[in-house]
Structure formats: C-alpha cells, structure tokens
Amino acid sequence: MPRNALILLIILVLFLPFLPLLVWSVAQGWFFPQLIPQQWTLEHWQQLLSASSRIGEGVMQSLAIALTTTVLSLLVGIPAGRAMGLMEFPGKPVLKLFLLTPIIVSPLATLMGIQFVLIRLGLSGTLLGVVLVHLMPTIPYMTLVLASVFANFDVGYEIQARSLGASPIKVFSQVTLPLIAPGVAVGALFAFLISWNEFLLTFFVGGGSVFTLPMILFTLLQGGNNGLIAAVAITSIVPGLIFLFVASKALQNEAALGGLGSV
Amino acid sequence: MGQLVLERLTKRFSDIPAVLDLWLEIEAGEILSLLGPSGCGKSTTLQMIAGVLRPDTGAVQLDGAMLNDVPPEKRDIALVLQRGLLFPHLTVGENVAFGLKMRGVNRADRDAQANAMLRQVQLAGFGDRKPSELSGGQAQRVAVARSLVIQPKLLLLDEPLSALDANLREEMQDLILHLQAQTGVTMMVVTHDQAEAVVMSDRIALMFDGQLRQVATPEHLYRYPCDEATARFMGGVNFFPGHAQGHRWTLATGETLMSDVAQNGAVQVTIRPEQMRVLDHPTAGVNTFAAKVMSQRFTGTQRRLTLSLHSELVLQAWVNPTQEWAIAQDVYVQLPPDALWCFPSDSNPAADLSLSIT
C-alpha cells in the first residue's frame, strides 16, 4: 500500500505540470484572480484541427525528420557502439570524449560555421539539412547507449552462431539484434525525442521553410493565444508519450533483457 | 571424416607469441584434449581452428582441405563454449534447430531432428522451454545437442564442464563420451583440468607457454612425463635430484635406487605418490627404506602420508585409506623399480647451487 501511494505521488508530480496546459486548451480566457476559467470552449482544438492551421503539415514534417534521424543514427550508432563497447583500440578514451563534444559544446557556438557549409552545399532550408544537424546530438547519445549495451554483450553468442552455420548477416539479424533490442529501443527513443523537440538547430538551418511542431509552437508563443499554445503543446507531447509507452513495453519483456546489464 | 591437421600454427598478440609453431594431428573419430594452465594458448588455438582468429602463419586442415580462408560458418566445426551460451531469445527447441535453420532445412524436418537430438541428451519434452528455465547441467546438454545436430566433422569443446559441480560433471562426461561413441565425431576438448582430460580423452596434448610440451595417451603422460613441469601438471609431487648410471640411480641425499629404466648423468628422479608401497614391518624387497610418518591426511579415496627417511629425504605416499597410521610411526617404504622415472636435470638450479658451494 505505501508503495502504491508512492507510485501515485510520482505520477502526480510528473503529470501535475500538464494540468494547467489541459485546462488552458479548453478555456475561454483565464485570468489571475480566478481559480478556474469562467468559460469553457473547444475552439482551440477546432482551430488546431481545421484545414487552415499548419499543424498537420508540422506534425508530418516533424515525424519525417525525427524518424529519418532515428534510423540514420541507428545505422551509425549500432556499429559505432559495438566498436566502443566490445573492442579495445588505441585512442578509445579520446574518441569517447570526442563523441561527447556535440553534447557538451552549445550548438550556438558551432551553428554559424555549420550554416555556412550547408548553404554552400545547398542544404540550408531543406529537410535533409535539418536531419543532418539533428544527427549532431543524436549520434553521440545513440553511440553511448549502445556502447554500454555492447559492453555487457557476450561475443560468444556471435561466435557460437557462426560455428552453427550463420553468415555474419544472419548472425546480426537472428542473434545480435534480438539480444540488443532493448538497448536499441532506448537509443531510438532518445534519438526520436531529441529530434522531435529540437528547436534551435531547426530554426537556424530550416531557415523558415522547414516547419516542425516546435517551430509552430514558437510562432504561436509570439502570438500570445494561450489556449492555442496549450493545445499545440499537448499535441507535441503525444508522440513522445506513445513512443515511451511502446518502448517501456518492449523493455518489460524479460527475455529481451537477457544479457543486458546497465541501461 | 574429421581428420584435423595443424601445421606450424603461430599467432602473436602485439609481438608476444600466444601460440608458437604448433604441430598437431588428430585422427578421425579421436578424442584429444588440449590441456594446459590458463594463458598457455589453448583457447587461442581453439579459436584458430574454429576460424574466429586467423593464424599469423601455419595452416589448419580438415580432411585434407585447407581451412585458413574458410569462414567459421562453412568449416563444419561446431563449438560448445564454457557457459553454454544458449540464445536467450529462443526456446530450447529453436536453439537446437538453429544450425539446421541456417542450413535451410524446412521447419518440420528440423523440429523432428531437434526433438530426436533432445531425446538423446535426455531432455525430451524440453523443446518449448526457455533457456532461463534450465539448470546449468541441462543448459550444457542443450548446447551439446545444438552442436551435434548439424553433424559436424569436428566438435570443439572449450572448458565445457568447468562451470558445473562435481557430480554433474561426471554425468556430463559420460553423456558426451556416449554421444561421441554414437556419432563418431572427432572431438577436441580444451581444458585446464588434468583429471577431466585424463578421463575424457584418447590422447592429451599438453601445452605450456604457447608450445606443445608432450602429446601422449593419458597413461603415458602419467607414467612417462617428459619433464618436471609436465609431471607436476599431471599431479606429480615427488621430485629428487640425483645421478643416474644405467639402472642404478643415486639420490643427492644418498639413497641408491634400482630402476627398470636406464639413464645416465644428472637427473631429476620422480615417482607417482600412488605407486609407493608403505608397510609397517620390514621387508626384503628392493628400494625399501625405513621411514617415519610425518603427517597424514584423509581424502576419502586415499590416505596421504608424508614420510621422512633417515637421510631427511621427504616423500609423499598416497595409500589405501582404510589402513590407519600414527604420527611418528616407524614404517618401511618401497619404491617399485617399474614405477620410477626420471628426466635429465642439467638446468636444475639446486644442482648449480651445490656446485658453486664446493
């Protein structure tokens, strides 16, 4: 019973900040002395779903960018994480530090230079350009998560599978990938959410022509319609919640956690 | 089918040789143990045979075919590793059928073969369980079944029993030997446990510091070790410096022994502690000396006596556990001439020391 109460408390603390957002999104004006709004309305949600709003477009663009970023960082992060976690090579600590630099150094410091290069390559203001800059923070996260997964992975499984007749590709698809799946799910969740919520990089590199959900949210914040802002904010949280829910289901699968220590 | 030849196999890790110039032939259907202390290069050798590591120089040949450039999955060599390493995301049945699936065998056939194999390792009906539901011994049996079901030419076992407790180990030894006899597969066991190697193998290849020291039947290795390190590794405890003149060997402590084997020069004399005879009354036999019991230890299957001769030569005799002895009891110890063995000891540090003193 005290355990359940504790869980309830944690849920409450986590979700309480969202309550005002929910209220705002269905309130018609809500000013200081009032404890609850005087009038309720669905007009913000209607506005959000109406054809004239660019929310649909924003969701699609955000989704396209976040999914592409996730897939690309998996393609880089799995082999890189394997090398970092399983192999010993000279310069490994330096490389690990080097990997952290995009996380440590503020993107503001590097954005001007990156923008300059992207303009030259004709990638500024394109979806591809935005995906490329999103990879800056996601690849280090992905690599570090998978490095810790592989550090607990027994290469014996791969050796065993090969001696039983599996080609390297079969070994990866039939043995390695299923065994590291929980780690891959965690890494993908990180990459997706970082990309989904990224504002600054998208703002600079997108140059106004790439219009993701955070961009829309920012534009609305300047407009000052609190109700609509709340509705968009809630919309932008939903995919993250869904992803988290699915990933946590995957992580609860005990068989999938076999051989996975510290994630 | 399954004749393995290793030719001048060498592997270095950053210039330090892990395996050096290794020659070894294993006959088809033979069981050979690669025995040695940890770090002697036996696992490196196994990995080169399996194709996980590439030898720097030398060749691995199976049935006359050169394997150096053949990837592990095409070598027809199956592995059983120490920890069993059943794939945790697959059921026991899927684990056993894994190799068949990789070979494109259809589902019905591979299920039938996997179930037959599971019956052979006495795990019929375990097919739907997860590896996490098995005990250590069961998991290891599944690992053996998984490797044998693909009918490999050669089965490599890397310390297959060291994670199991003593009773289980003997059961597994019997099972593996039984399966080997049934399938006739050539088998190579890598182990650091001399008792295990002795029980399981037709021949033992003893390895120290990356090099083969002696390849022989277990009995030969026990009775005729090629040097002191080999003898010690095989459980030898009695080593006495001496001088040999044909069959007449004189120990540094003064005793003269008659031996069936002839040797000349400075030698290190050894005798297995189990082969000594200890009596409580004088006897007329050759190589018999009066001694005192210094200490004794009861191990269940043996009584281990430490004896001291009048010359203060100390030796170990492992005798019948049912006979009781008292500390300081006067006894007579006999060293049978056919049990004595020796190796030249030109590099014996003790001998060098005595020379420099005189």
Side-chain angles (χ1 to χ4, degrees):
Chain A
M1 186 56 211
R3 191 162 169 264
N4 286 342
L6 195 69
I7 291 172
L8 203 70
L9 188 72
I10 290 171
I11 290 174
L12 212 65
V13 168
L14 284 177
F15 284 91
L16 211 56
F18 293 106
L19 197 62
L21 274 184
L22 265 178
V23 177
W24 263 118
S25 73
V26 286
Q28 177 95 62
W30 184 16
F31 302 106
F32 167 61
Q34 302 157 357
L35 201 59
I36 51 164
Q38 302 306 92
Q39 276 182 295
W40 304 92
T41 172
L42 280 176
E43 79 176 66
H44 306 312
W45 287 102
Q46 282 161 353
Q47 203 177 331
L48 187 89
L49 296 173
S50 73
S52 63
S53 89
R54 297 183 65 189
I55 301 291
E57 188 193 338
V59 169
M60 289 317 289
Q61 286 207 357
S62 277
L63 213 55
I65 291 170
L67 287 177
T68 315
T69 304
T70 306
V71 170
L72 288 178
S73 36
L74 276 172
L75 285 180
V76 178
I78 292 177
R82 189 175 196 285
M84 298 284 293
L86 280 179
M87 298 170 191
E88 285 305 325
F89 47 88
K92 188 170 151 180
V94 179
L95 189 69
K96 216 161 190 170
L97 194 71
F98 184 70
L99 256 177
L100 280 172
T101 47
I103 301 170
I104 299 168
V105 178
S106 159
L108 276 173
T110 51
L111 257 175
M112 293 309 281
I114 289 167
Q115 180 69 326
F116 183 72
V117 173
L118 287 179
I119 289 170
R120 281 203 140 185
L121 294 173
L123 289 173
S124 182
T126 64
L127 283 183
L128 183 60
V130 172
V131 167
L132 282 179
V133 288
H134 279 195
L135 287 174
M136 275 178 13
T138 58
I139 284 179
Y141 272 115
M142 188 70 95
T143 307
L144 292 173
V145 166
L146 285 165
S148 86
V149 171
F150 274 110
N152 293 296
F153 178 77
D154 193 335
V155 213
Y157 288 118
E158 294 183 346
I159 294 172
Q160 185 73 70
R162 283 199 80 179
S163 89
L164 292 170
S167 64
I169 294 168
K170 279 268 169 67
V171 171
F172 181 74
S173 66
Q174 307 269 324
V175 175
T176 313
L177 195 58
L179 289 180
I180 63 165
V184 169
V186 171
L189 180 70
F190 265 124
F192 183 88
L193 289 182
I194 290 170
S195 172
W196 181 266
N197 293 322
E198 182 57 56
F199 170 73
L200 198 65
L201 297 171
T202 320
F203 181 70
F204 272 89
V205 175
S209 47
V210 175
F211 219 59
T212 61
L213 264 186
M215 306 291 295
I216 294 173
L217 206 60
F218 187 71
T219 323
L220 287 175
L221 277 171
Q222 287 171 321
N225 181 344
N226 283 353
L228 194 57
I229 291 167
V232 175
I234 288 167
T235 314
S236 73
I237 294 165
V238 170
L241 283 179
I242 293 172
F243 214 103
L244 193 66
F245 186 71
V246 173
S248 71
K249 278 275 162 153
L251 293 179
Q252 273 167 7
N253 186 345
E254 268 188 59
L257 278 168
L260 190 79
S262 63
V263 176
Chain B
M1 289 291 272
Q3 184 208 31
L4 179 77
V5 179
L6 306 178
E7 235 180 67
R8 306 209 57 175
L9 220 50
T10 298
K11 179 77 192 174
R12 288 167 208 274
F13 293 115
S14 49
D15 269 2
I16 300 157
V19 174
L20 195 62
D21 215 14
L22 186 119
W23 289 82
L24 188 60
E25 264 189 59
I26 306 176
E27 292 308 315
E30 190 183 7
I31 307 175
L32 181 130
S33 286
L34 195 56
L35 176 67
S38 59
C40 73
K42 55 190 195 297
S43 288
T44 307
T45 307
L46 177 116
Q47 291 182 339
M48 286 192 281
I49 299 170
V52 182
L53 275 179
R54 226 192 130 74
D56 295 339
T57 55
V60 178
Q61 292 177 13
L62 189 60
D63 288 335
M66 171 82 163
L67 286 188
N68 284 33
D69 295 319
V70 179
E73 65 270 23
K74 299 218 167 82
R75 288 193 174 199
D76 268 336
I77 296 175
L79 268 178
V80 174
L81 299 173
Q82 185 182 349
R83 294 138 291 163
L85 291 179
L86 300 185
F87 304 127
H89 60 294
L90 303 178
T91 65
V92 167
E94 288 168 337
N95 262 285
V96 177
F98 185 87
L100 300 171
K101 190 178 171 189
M102 293 302 121
R103 280 163 175 70
V105 177
N106 70 51
R107 196 185 181 103
D109 281 357
R110 62 177 195 252
D111 281 356
Q113 287 185 47
N115 285 333
M117 202 65 227
L118 279 173
R119 255 198 309 284
Q120 284 206 300
V121 296
Q122 290 137 38
L123 287 174
F126 278 65
D128 292 329
R129 301 211 189 170
K130 283 279 182 178
S132 54
E133 298 167 46
L134 300 182
S135 71
Q138 290 169 336
Q140 202 59 316
R141 276 189 272 165
V142 175
V144 171
R146 176 176 65 175
S147 290
L148 280 179
V149 80
I150 58 174
Q151 297 177 323
K153 287 182 181 166
L154 173 68
L155 181 65
L156 296 174
L157 300 113
D158 188 7
E159 309 265 355
L161 309 176
S162 58
L164 306 177
D165 56 48
N167 294 336
L168 217 51
R169 208 177 294 177
E170 276 184 27
E171 229 175 86
M172 273 297 288
Q173 282 168 355
D174 290 345
L175 182 75
I176 291 176
L177 291 180
H178 175 71
L179 288 171
Q180 196 277 338
Q182 278 194 326
T183 55
V185 66
T186 311
M187 209 164 95
M188 182 162 155
V189 185
V190 167
T191 179
H192 66 268
D193 182 347
Q194 53 98 5
E196 186 171 304
V198 167
V199 174
M200 291 193 71
S201 25
D202 298 329
R203 279 193 307 156
I204 294 175
L206 187 68
M207 202 171 172
F208 286 126
D209 301 323
Q211 285 177 294
L212 281 186
R213 192 59 69 87
Q214 192 170 6
V215 184
T217 61
E219 197 177 339
H220 193 96
L221 213 51
Y222 257 108
R223 298 190 60 174
Y224 313 117
C226 67
D227 57 16
E228 188 175 332
T230 303
R232 282 192 188 277
F233 199 81
M234 298 308 292
V237 286
N238 293 316
F239 299 95
F240 319 112
H243 190 87
Q245 262 182 315
H247 295 283
R248 199 182 158 83
W249 301 353
T250 312
L251 301 187
T253 44
E255 289 84 0
T256 300
L257 300 169
M258 292 309 292
S259 159
D260 283 1
V261 196
Q263 179 64 272
N264 282 302
V267 290
Q268 191 78 347
V269 176
T270 184
I271 179 167
R272 299 270 334 164
E274 310 90 356
Q275 288 178 301
M276 265 185 272
R277 237 169 281 156
V278 180
L279 306 157
D280 53 6
H281 53 85
T283 173
V286 69
N287 297 346
T288 306
F289 304 96
K292 250 188 183 22
V293 176
M294 306 279 290
S295 68
Q296 60 168 320
R297 199 147 50 102
F298 177 72
T299 67
T301 53
Q302 286 165 339
R303 198 172 288 273
R304 300 188 169 182
L305 303 177
T306 306
L307 305 173
S308 167
L309 303 194
H310 294 319
S311 64
E312 299 196 338
L313 181 79
V314 174
L315 39 80
Q316 303 262 348
W318 298 352
V319 296
N320 184 346
T322 51
Q323 190 166 4
E324 286 184 36
W325 305 87
I327 299 292
Q329 184 179 347
D330 286 315
V331 296
Y332 297 86
V333 58
Q334 191 175 35
L335 286 62
D338 63 341
L340 285 168
W341 182 244
C342 73
F343 12 81
S345 69
D346 30 21
S347 61
N348 188 330
D352 291 344
L353 193 66
S354 64
L355 275 178
S356 64
I357 291 168
T358 52

